């Protein structure tokens, strides 16, 4: 017996010692709020109170919008409350590195929110109220609030906190439109650790590619008011092909309280492969190292030849008697001379810049042969002008100001982007719309009810002349409601006047954004109510003597893809707003299979604007947070989807990678194909998705997407994709022929990357 007791006692002593001197480990310092949330539709101040019994409310997952999980919330916009109960153990404080503050993180909230802890208002829209007697006030109206990560940091002795006891968190949410509710990342309660004070900003500075070298700067910012940080910064670069290490450096880095330090490093590697770049800052005693990972840019596509090559679609639609402007997109060195065989009556071609202009009165199909010639050769292309009732026969390509400038857009920013569109050569690939999003409207209409531009846009006619003079087109933005999402004047009850104003200004494109129309609509779940304002604006646009591409923006409500074309839309947003993260890209892009049957010439599902290059939604921009592979995926998917290609980046800041990404003629041809089929997802297994789009010439464009974090060697039988012939295969990003596919497709696909091919049946 004694023999048995002794080891048990020693084990107990050992376990006691271990637990007594243990330092906190990941997980010990955090209370997960992933499970246990309840939701109730409506708005009632009593729902904040700790004594309120919410047990009868519906359960909800805080990672997804309420529309995507609760039937009773489908298409619901407006108020709802969330509640959750949790205990904050005292040990949380004792185990912490600092032990002075606690944070409550909610993830993102679509759109605006007020958060109450134990019945008292904690803050709203990411602003903490230090006054513990604050009372709820106005908290709507912030159109960007959906993108804020909500985090409330409280001193540990804040009277609203109950240590060792049950706490009740109540969140009052208002959804302005589209998706609503608390969404990713996961909500939690934790002590504020080093990682919360130490910001590692790897996105402020781009990778610079110089010869064989990659040069990169990252910034470390110590947000603590009194504590200096002394740790090790490690940077590691590994190949995504075989995991081999290309570079590693470690340095001791001291960052004084409140200071920022910058760290530059250089590694050399061929710029035609994918690399993972990891940054780790570690301080002894902290629970987590600060960690970030990025993908370095690399170029797959060979440069365009100097000889002329006519890019762009094979067909263009215009209404009879309406002004036509089409710039022949052609790559190759300048000067270039453009010519054509017989042009339809009323159309002129400017031989120096390739602008086709004029108007054609008679409906019909006009096939012409366009030619571009330079000192090295010439290229010809058969081009069809279809004069009829349908315009925008292939997806619009161009730029929109929102994802870069947000509400700070101005005349000068639109002009500089337009100049860059031309000077960078993007225009030579068919990128042509320059669309002004929200933020251009004046506060008041004229006495005759006309909409005016604000001081940032001094002369719309002059701007439109400038844009057209570059061979580009000008787009504008409004709302069917009294106000736009940004709080500017909308077109409600002024539709006909506004359409006329825009036509007078020479506008070519309108994005019409639901926004405050939710206050007018009687019932947002009724189809008729959803369609009504869009039909009114359609009728107004039909009265003007100008082709204005009509973009419906109402975030997909009421399954807009099934009726967007019926109300005269050329494109219709199928989703809430995109941001430059892999999560947002995948949630939006890879759910588009639901709408594939509705794309057609002149009518496209719109998964929102692009998130490559420098973006930011306001005055401060950063290079997209997507890795290079994620950007190849983004462009490939949007092309396969026949989606509008509207760049959302500052065009005056384009690097070689981004230009290459946006000027691959074979990839863009997939998007601009005249059939306008939208790819179907034909395979979705084990983190590999395959999407296939039918092309007008009988070939297939096929994207093999790797949703995994690791390189994947794929080998998929053609039969599993519904393909049953021998195919000639071409890798579209690398612009190289591959071995014929008879039985399977084999490829290595980078993490979050794509293998995009075009396959022609051999017989
Ligand atoms: C909504 C739209 C965005 C943008 C903003 C402008 O959020 O979805 O694309 O137009 O409004 O305020």
């Amino acid at each position: 017996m004694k023999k048995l007791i002794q080891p048990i006692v020693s084990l107990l002593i050992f376990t006691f010692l271990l637990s007594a001197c243990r330092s906190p480990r990941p997980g010990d310092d955090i209370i997960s709020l992933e499970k246990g949330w309840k939701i109730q539709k409506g708005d009632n101040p009593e729902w904040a109170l700790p004594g309120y019994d919410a047990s009868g409310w519906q359960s909800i997952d805080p990672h997804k919008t309420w529309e995507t999980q609760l039937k009773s919330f489908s298409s619901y916009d407006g108020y709802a409350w969330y509640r959750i109960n949790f205990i904050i153990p005292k040990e949380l404080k004792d185990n912490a590195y600092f032990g002075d503050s606690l944070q409550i993180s909610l993830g993102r909230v679509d759109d605006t929110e007020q958060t109450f802890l134990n019945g008292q208002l904690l803050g709203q829209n990411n602003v903490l109220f230090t006054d513990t007697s604050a009372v709820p006030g106005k908290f709507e109206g912030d159109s960007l609030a959906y993108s804020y990560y909500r985090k409330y940091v409280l001193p540990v002795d804040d009277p609203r906190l109950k240590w060792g006891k049950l706490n009740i968190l109540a969140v009052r949410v208002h959804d302005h439109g589209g998706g609503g509710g608390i969404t990713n990342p996961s909500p939690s309660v934790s002590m504020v650790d080093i990682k919360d004070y130490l910001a590692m900003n790897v996105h402020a500075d781009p990778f610079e590619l110089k010869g064989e070298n990659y040069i990169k700067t990252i910034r470390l910012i110590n947000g603590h008011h009194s504590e200096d940080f002394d740790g090790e910064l490690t940077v590691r670069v590994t190949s995504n092909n075989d995991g081999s290490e290309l570079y590693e450096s470690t340095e001791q880095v001291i960052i004084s309280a409140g200071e920022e330090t910058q760290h530059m490093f250089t590694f050399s590697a061929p710029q035609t492969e994918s690399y993972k770049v990891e940054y780790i800052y570690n301080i002894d005693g902290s629970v987590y190292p600060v960690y970030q990972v990025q993908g370095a840019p690399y170029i797959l596509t060979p440069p365009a030849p100097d000889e002329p090559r006519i890019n762009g679609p094979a067909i263009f639609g215009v209404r009879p008697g309406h002004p036509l402007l089409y710039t022949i997109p052609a790559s190759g060195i300048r000067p270039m001379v453009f010519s054509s065989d017989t042009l339809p009556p009323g159309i002129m071609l400017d031989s120096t810049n390739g602008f086709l202009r004029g108007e054609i009165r008679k409906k019909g199909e006009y096939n012409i042969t366009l030619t571009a010639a330079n000192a090295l050769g010439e290229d010809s292309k058969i081009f069809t002008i279809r004069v009829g009732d349908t315009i925008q026969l292939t997806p619009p390509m161009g730029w929109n100001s929102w994802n870069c400038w947000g509400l700070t857009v101005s005349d000068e920013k639109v002009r500089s982007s337009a100049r860059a569109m031309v000077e960078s050569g993007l225009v030579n690939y068919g990128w042509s719309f320059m669309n002004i999003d929200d933020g251009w409207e004046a506060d008041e209409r004229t006495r005759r009810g006309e909409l005016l531009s604000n001081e940032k846009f001094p002369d719309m006619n002059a701007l439109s002349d400038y844009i057209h003079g570059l061979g580009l087109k000008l787009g504008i933005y409004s709302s069917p409601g009294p106000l736009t999402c940004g709080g500017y004047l909308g077109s409600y009850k002024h539709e006909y006047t506004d359409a006329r104003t825009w036509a007078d200004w020479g506008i070519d494109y309108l994005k019409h954004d639901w926004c405050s129309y939710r206050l007018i609509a009687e019932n947002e779940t009724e189809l008729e109510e959803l369609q009504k304002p869009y039909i009114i604006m359609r009728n107004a646009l039909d009265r003007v003597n100008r082709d204005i591409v009509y973009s419906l923006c109402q975030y997909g409500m009421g399954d807009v893809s099934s009726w967007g074309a019926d109300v005269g839309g050329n494109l219709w947003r199928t989703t809430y707003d995109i941001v430059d993260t892999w999560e947002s890209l995948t949630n939006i892009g890879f759910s588009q299979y639901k709408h594939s049957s509705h794309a057609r010439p002149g009518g496209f599902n719109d998964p929102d604007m692009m998130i490559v290059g420098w973006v930011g939604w306001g005055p401060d921009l950063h290079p997209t947070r997507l890795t290079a592979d994620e950007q190849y995926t983004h462009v490939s998917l949007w092309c396969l989807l026949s989606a509008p290609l509207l760049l959302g980046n500052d065009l005056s800041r384009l690097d070689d990678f981004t230009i290459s990404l946006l000027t691959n003629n074979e990839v863009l041809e997939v998007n601009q194909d005249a059939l306008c089929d939208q790819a179907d997802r034909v395979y979705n297994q084990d983190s590999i998705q395959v999407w296939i789009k039918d092309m007008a010439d009988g070939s297939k464009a096929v994207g093999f997407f790797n949703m995994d974090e690791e390189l994947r060697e794929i080998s998929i039988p053609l039969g599993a994709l519904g393909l049953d012939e021998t195919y000639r295969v071409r890798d579209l990003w690398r612009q190289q022929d591959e071995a014929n596919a008879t039985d399977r497709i084999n490829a290595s696909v980078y993490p979050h990357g794509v293998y995009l091919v075009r396959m022609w049946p051999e017989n």
Side-chain angles (χ1 to χ4, degrees):
M1 192 64 180
K2 199 175 164 206
K3 260 192 192 160
L4 199 68
I5 287 175
Q6 212 170 9
I8 291 177
V9 170
S10 338
L11 188 71
L12 283 174
I13 293 172
F14 176 70
T15 317
F16 170 72
L17 284 176
L18 195 74
S19 63
C21 64
R22 141 190 113 112
S23 61
R25 276 172 308 198
D28 285 355
D29 62 327
I30 188 160
I31 302 165
S32 163
L33 299 185
E34 290 197 348
K35 295 209 168 85
W37 287 93
K38 297 273 188 182
I39 190 168
Q40 175 68 26
K41 217 184 250 184
D43 192 27
N44 180 347
E46 285 182 14
W47 296 345
L49 302 179
Y52 184 81
D53 178 11
S55 55
W57 290 12
Q58 278 181 284
S59 297
I60 186 152
D61 177 350
H63 299 98
K64 298 186 274 187
T65 57
W66 58 49
E67 284 88 348
T68 56
Q69 50 178 321
L70 297 179
K71 258 213 178 101
S72 53
F73 277 78
S74 76
S75 313
Y76 179 66
D77 301 326
Y79 283 100
W81 283 67
Y82 284 69
R83 274 175 70 111
I84 193 168
N85 307 337
F86 55 92
I87 291 175
I88 314 179
K90 292 207 179 83
E91 298 78 62
L92 201 69
K93 195 165 27 173
D94 304 338
N95 284 341
Y97 187 91
F98 293 118
D100 56 358
S101 325
L102 175 130
Q103 59 192 354
I104 299 178
S105 311
L106 287 181
R108 270 178 288 131
V109 181
D110 208 336
D111 288 290
T112 45
E113 135 278 352
Q114 281 183 328
T115 296
F116 300 79
L117 184 63
N118 299 317
Q120 284 175 281
L121 187 60
L122 201 59
Q124 70 185 36
N125 301 332
N126 215 27
V127 178
L128 176 82
F129 293 138
T130 44
D131 174 5
T132 52
S133 61
V135 286
K138 203 167 150 27
F139 75 112
E140 290 183 44
D142 186 341
S143 69
L144 283 180
Y146 69 90
S147 61
Y148 310 155
Y149 292 91
R150 307 315 210 266
K151 190 194 269 186
Y152 296 111
V153 177
L154 310 169
V156 287
D157 56 0
D158 188 290
R160 290 168 290 198
L161 279 171
K162 294 198 168 146
W163 287 95
K165 294 198 187 125
L166 197 68
N167 287 261
I168 316 282
L169 194 64
V171 186
R172 179 187 184 206
V173 178
H174 187 269
D175 175 23
H176 307 347
I182 301 180
T183 60
N184 270 325
S186 287
S188 64
V189 174
S190 62
M191 291 301 293
V192 178
D193 190 53
I194 290 170
K195 69 169 177 8
D196 304 303
Y197 286 113
L198 189 99
M200 181 187 268
N201 188 346
V202 302
H203 296 291
D205 305 277
F207 281 93
E208 279 176 52
L209 276 60
K210 286 216 171 102
E212 278 279 280
N213 287 335
Y214 284 87
I215 304 166
K216 172 73 185 168
T217 300
I218 67 161
R219 303 171 189 212
L220 295 174
I221 304 120
N222 178 353
H224 201 281
H225 56 282
S226 58
E227 191 98 10
D228 297 345
F229 292 150
D230 183 354
E232 272 187 352
L233 174 66
T234 301
V235 178
R236 191 182 305 129
V237 182
T238 43
S239 156
N240 273 325
N241 277 328
D242 55 12
S244 61
E245 194 172 290
L246 281 109
Y247 173 88
E248 184 175 284
S249 67
T250 299
E251 57 175 320
Q252 198 71 24
V253 173
I254 299 174
I255 318 155
S256 311
E259 294 289 305
E260 172 181 311
T261 55
Q262 297 199 2
H263 306 273
M264 193 171 89
F265 62 95
T266 304
F267 67 95
S268 74
Q271 289 161 9
T272 48
E273 281 175 33
S274 169
Y275 306 107
K276 174 155 98 178
V277 186
E278 293 169 288
Y279 316 94
I280 306 131
Y281 185 70
N282 196 21
I283 299 180
D284 276 353
S286 84
V287 183
Y288 299 99
V290 180
Y291 175 84
Q292 298 255 6
V293 59
Q294 278 193 304
Y298 67 99
I299 293 178
L300 289 173
T301 305
D306 289 337
E307 291 80 15
R309 190 180 63 202
I310 302 183
N311 304 306
I315 189 159
F316 182 82
V318 64
R319 295 198 182 93
H322 285 192
L324 173 148
L325 168 61
Y326 180 78
T327 300
I328 302 170
S331 52
I333 51 164
R334 269 40 186 185
M336 200 173 272
V337 178
F338 294 88
S339 59
S340 159
D341 60 355
T342 46
L343 282 169
I347 296 295
M348 306 270 282
L349 170 62
D350 185 327
S351 63
T352 57
N353 51 26
F355 298 174
L356 281 165
R357 283 178 194 273
E359 56 184 60
I360 309 171
R361 298 211 164 273
K362 228 174 128 220
K363 281 191 176 178
E365 210 155 282
Y366 300 83
N367 294 320
I368 54 179
T369 303
L370 302 172
T371 301
N374 69 12
L376 299 172
E378 65 172 50
D379 186 34
S380 291
K381 175 168 179 158
I382 297 176
F383 185 68
T384 302
I385 301 176
R386 184 177 291 159
V387 185
D389 297 328
T390 311
I391 59 165
Q392 203 58 55
L393 299 177
T394 61
M397 286 177 69
W399 174 88
N400 170 294
S401 57
W402 184 249
N403 291 359
C404 47
W405 301 120
L407 295 173
T408 68
V409 61
S410 65
D411 175 285
E412 186 38 44
K413 285 172 177 153
V414 177
R415 283 176 194 243
S416 66
S417 291
R419 276 194 299 276
M421 188 71 112
V422 174
E423 282 159 16
S424 65
L426 288 185
V427 70
N428 300 335
Y429 292 80
W431 300 94
S432 53
F433 282 101
M434 300 303 303
N435 294 348
I436 308 167
D437 208 280
D438 205 357
W440 63 268
E441 312 86 336
D443 288 345
E444 281 179 32
R445 292 177 176 269
T446 64
R447 255 187 283 149
R448 289 165 52 201
E450 289 149 341
L451 196 52
L452 298 168
S453 55
N454 59 33
E455 62 295 341
K456 293 187 291 154
F457 289 88
D459 186 341
M460 281 295 195
N461 281 108
L463 177 59
S464 121
D465 287 347
Y466 181 80
I467 299 294
H468 292 145
L470 294 170
L472 302 169
K473 301 195 167 187
L474 186 62
I476 210 143
Y477 168 96
S478 192
S479 170
L483 294 177
T484 66
C485 296
Y488 290 80
L489 281 186
S491 294
Y492 183 55
K493 294 208 161 157
H494 293 88
E495 293 82 358
Y496 287 83
T497 317
D498 290 355
R500 222 175 310 121
T501 303
W502 296 326
D504 289 346
W505 286 348
I507 295 295
D508 305 295
Y509 184 113
L510 167 68
K511 171 172 168 185
H512 210 36
D513 194 349
W514 185 262
C515 304
S516 70
Y517 193 81
R518 73 188 159 79
L519 303 172
I520 309 289
E522 271 156 27
N523 183 349
E524 281 191 353
T525 56
E526 253 178 49
L527 201 57
E528 209 180 310
E529 283 291 290
L530 291 172
Q531 295 181 340
K532 193 158 88 188
Y534 287 103
I535 295 173
I536 296 176
M537 183 53 87
R538 174 72 267 164
N539 292 338
L541 294 175
D542 284 343
R543 293 251 192 117
V544 302
N545 187 31
R546 191 171 180 83
D547 285 351
I548 297 183
V549 173
Y550 189 27
S551 153
L552 319 186
C553 178
Q554 45 85 290
Y555 340 112
M557 288 186 289
D559 192 18
V560 65
S561 9
S562 63
W563 52 264
D566 300 341
V567 299
N570 294 110
L571 56 151
W572 40 86
R573 269 275 290 281
T574 52
T575 75
Y576 49 92
D577 292 16
I578 201 165
V579 290
D580 58 321
T581 61
W582 174 244
E583 183 202 355
S584 174
L585 173 67
T586 49
N587 283 345
I588 289 180
F590 288 96
S591 59
Q592 295 301 311
Y593 60 87
K594 298 174 198 153
H595 313 297
S596 68
S597 63
H598 301 298
R600 77 220 37 207
F604 306 98
N605 292 305
D606 174 9
D608 207 0
M609 295 158 309
M610 304 184 78
I611 40 169
V612 303
W614 284 74
V615 291
W617 292 267
D620 301 321
L621 306 188
H622 59 263
T624 177
R625 287 172 288 171
L626 298 181
T627 67
D629 290 304
E630 290 166 353
Q631 294 180 66
Y632 282 121
T633 288
H634 179 17
V635 175
S636 306
L637 184 60
W638 262 236
C639 287
L640 287 165
L641 294 173
S642 294
L645 297 182
L646 291 169
L647 298 167
N649 56 313
D650 176 5
L651 296 182
S652 61
R653 259 191 286 192
L654 284 167
D655 57 21
D656 292 348
F657 165 75
T658 312
I659 291 184
S660 168
L661 181 76
L662 302 176
T663 57
N664 180 318
N665 61 316
E666 297 185 33
V667 172
L668 295 174
E669 203 174 305
V670 173
N671 180 260
Q672 291 297 299
D673 186 68
L675 198 61
C676 299
D677 176 53
Q678 175 172 327
D680 282 310
R681 187 169 71 182
V682 297
Y683 183 97
N684 181 20
Q685 277 177 38
D686 192 20
S687 299
I688 301 294
Q689 297 198 15
V690 184
W691 293 62
I692 301 190
K693 171 182 162 110
D694 289 333
M695 301 284 286
D697 68 349
S699 65
K700 313 253 179 211
V702 189
F704 296 82
F705 295 95
N706 175 5
M707 316 300 286
D708 206 346
E709 315 275 317
E710 306 294 330
L711 176 95
R712 292 288 296 274
E713 302 288 350
I714 57 168
S715 176
I716 303 181
L718 291 183
L721 307 176
L723 302 175
D724 50 9
E725 300 188 45
T726 296
Y727 293 88
R728 184 160 66 79
V729 181
R730 187 161 164 85
D731 176 335
L732 297 186
W733 281 111
R734 293 181 180 79
Q735 301 199 333
Q736 75 193 14
D737 291 335
E738 306 279 73
N740 279 6
T742 45
D743 161 37
R744 314 179 75 84
I745 287 273
N746 302 317
S748 321
V749 192
Y750 286 133
H752 295 181
V754 61
Y755 178 52
L756 180 69
V757 295
R758 191 150 162 192
M759 299 171 63
W760 290 263
E762 274 288 77
N763 312 309

